[in-house]
Amino acid sequence: MTETVMQKSYRPQMIATLLVLTAATAVVCWLLVVFWEDIKAIAWLYDLFKIIAIVAPLMGAVAYLTFAERKIIGYMQVRIGPNRVGPRGWLQPIADALKLLMKEIVIPTNANRFLFIIAPMLSIAPALAAWAVLPFTDTLVLANIDASLLYILALTSMGVYGVIIAGWSSNSKYAFLGAMRSAAQIVSYEIAMGFALVGVLLAGGSLNLVEIVQAQQGSLLHWFWLPLLPLFLVYFISGVAETNRAPFDVSEGESEIVAGFHVEYSGMAFAVFFLAEYANMILIAALAALMFLGGWLSPFEGTWFESWFAWIPGIFWLFAKMALMLLLFLWFRATFPRYRYDQIMRLGWKVFIPITIVWLVVEGAAVVANVGPWFD
């Protein structure tokens, strides 16, 4: 079958899918316009709408991040990537989701059924709940709490429980071995990430993410990436390791332990682990953009070009910085070979943690000395 004939065979399904999505979106928008004041008057309904407004686009971004990964890595390796489902392959994530929805979830005979089912939820829940305190602009945030940085640190450290429970409840030596390796890796790099967050706290003088971004106002050179450059690099590389992405994906070393902690999972249970990995990637990219790259602040602030780009909303700059961080995630996967397990542990314990401790001492001295323009 030629490419042209195959594309024609998908055309009815593609048109039907697009028509259904367009009609559903139009109906939802019409209902929101008509009943908007009534929705705002009911507090819980208004909060529910704001949660859906964050989670729904996030799930769409997760789905199409997988498509972007396959396309970008394909171009890097002189391949085409997915190009069959929809125009240029744009409906591939929808096809993948439908395929996983229709697959059977097989639970091993001697597995702990309750823990086996709840483990994927424990993996994805922290990645979604963390967005409750992430600001998109200085006013656009679901819950602007004072200790939002502490909330983020507490929630992201809970993701390891889903990995451990998935490996243990599967009653499989391969899954358990993968879970132990992954858990040790996550805990090791969580410490380095925590020290990096302490550096951001020192520089921003607050645990509130909105105030941390506002502390970076001035220009591109006022952002915390410059005075906290070692902490920025440690945080981002630790984020790559924490999400079990290449070159730190030893928990999924196919040549050694099959597929890691989720080897016994299938169908949507496996898909939830997959979603959790990519949702965590987006979360790490958002946090790196907010804490080190000025968040929604324009890179042209304080320059001659500031007036030229003043019409661009701040949320666009935030998304652009997140896209840059996510591109690095994909670039790393296409470039670096997988580390050995002992190399990963040595990097985390003997390199990253000492670097962060030393730089925290240097930063503390700079704060006491009121070194400008960041700490005055």
Side-chain angles (χ1 to χ4, degrees):
M1 184 181 293
T2 65
E3 183 177 352
T4 304
V5 174
M6 183 169 287
Q7 287 178 345
K8 287 181 179 178
S9 67
Y10 279 112
R11 189 169 296 167
Q13 296 92 324
M14 181 184 70
I15 294 174
T17 303
L18 292 177
L19 286 176
V20 170
L21 290 175
T22 304
T25 304
V27 170
V28 170
C29 292
W30 178 78
L31 290 173
L32 287 175
V33 170
V34 173
F35 299 104
W36 180 245
E37 293 302 327
D38 296 329
I39 292 174
K40 290 182 69 175
I42 305 173
W44 69 267
L45 192 59
Y46 186 48
D47 290 338
L48 179 62
F49 167 76
K50 290 191 288 185
I51 292 170
I52 294 173
I54 293 174
V55 173
L58 178 61
M59 289 293 96
V62 166
Y64 275 89
L65 181 57
T66 64
F67 176 75
E69 177 175 31
R70 294 171 67 181
K71 275 289 189 183
I72 291 171
I73 293 179
Y75 285 127
M76 288 180 176
Q77 298 173 346
V78 200
R79 295 184 288 105
I80 297 175
N83 67 335
R84 296 293 186 182
V85 186
R88 296 185 178 272
W90 278 96
L91 296 182
Q92 185 66 51
I94 298 174
D96 292 340
L98 292 175
K99 179 188 71 175
L100 288 168
L101 276 170
M102 290 185 289
K103 281 186 174 291
E104 180 185 5
I105 299 177
V106 180
I107 300 178
T109 304
N110 295 320
N112 186 314
R113 294 179 65 89
F114 174 73
L115 293 179
F116 188 86
I117 293 171
I118 205 173
M121 305 177 197
L122 288 176
S123 288
I124 198 170
L128 299 181
W131 287 87
V133 299
L134 255 67
F136 298 96
T137 66
D138 53 350
T139 57
L140 193 60
V141 54
L142 180 61
N144 189 17
I145 61 175
D146 290 334
S148 52
L149 197 61
L150 190 61
Y151 172 87
I152 292 285
L153 186 61
L155 267 185
T156 52
S157 63
M158 288 185 63
V160 67
Y161 290 107
V163 172
I164 295 175
I165 290 174
W168 184 84
S169 64
S170 297
N171 193 35
S172 166
K173 292 181 176 63
Y174 292 111
F176 186 67
L177 180 59
M180 290 298 98
R181 289 158 65 111
S182 182
Q185 176 180 321
I186 291 173
V187 170
S188 300
Y189 283 87
E190 187 78 33
I191 298 172
M193 291 181 74
F195 279 130
L197 294 185
V198 172
V200 174
L201 167 63
L202 275 174
S206 173
L207 282 169
N208 184 278
L209 284 171
V210 174
E211 295 179 4
I212 288 172
V213 174
Q214 290 173 341
Q216 302 176 60
Q217 288 179 334
S219 71
L220 186 142
L221 297 179
H222 286 73
W223 298 351
F224 289 158
W225 70 269
L226 189 55
L228 307 183
L229 183 59
L231 299 185
F232 177 37
L233 295 176
V234 166
Y235 178 83
F236 186 69
I237 297 173
S238 298
V240 176
E242 183 134 335
T243 51
N244 282 321
R245 295 284 300 179
F248 302 101
D249 55 339
V250 291
S251 65
E252 301 174 14
E254 290 86 355
S255 61
E256 304 157 1
I257 51 173
V258 193
F261 60 89
H262 52 58
V263 65
E264 301 292 347
Y265 283 84
S266 60
M268 277 308 295
F270 168 76
V272 171
F273 277 121
F274 203 65
L275 291 173
E277 177 182 320
Y278 284 84
N280 277 311
M281 286 170 57
I282 298 175
L283 177 63
I284 295 294
L287 287 171
L290 288 168
M291 295 188 298
F292 297 99
L293 300 179
W296 57 83
L297 300 178
S298 169
F300 301 100
E301 184 180 11
T303 67
W304 292 346
F305 306 104
E306 181 176 2
S307 59
W308 293 9
F309 297 93
W311 59 275
I312 299 178
I315 195 170
F316 170 82
W317 295 119
L318 176 62
F319 288 162
K321 294 166 187 175
M322 289 170 57
L324 175 63
M325 295 290 102
L326 290 170
L327 176 63
L328 293 178
F329 270 97
L330 309 185
W331 197 351
F332 291 166
R333 178 170 182 176
T335 305
F336 299 113
R338 180 182 291 130
Y339 277 109
R340 291 197 319 269
Y341 186 71
D342 62 299
Q343 291 174 324
I344 291 177
M345 290 294 103
R346 183 171 68 247
L347 182 67
W349 287 102
K350 294 186 177 181
V351 178
F352 281 176
I353 292 178
I355 286 175
T356 53
I357 292 175
V358 169
W359 201 256
L360 284 177
V361 174
V362 173
E363 184 187 353
V367 171
V368 172
N370 292 323
V371 176
W374 310 283
F375 309 120
D376 52 4

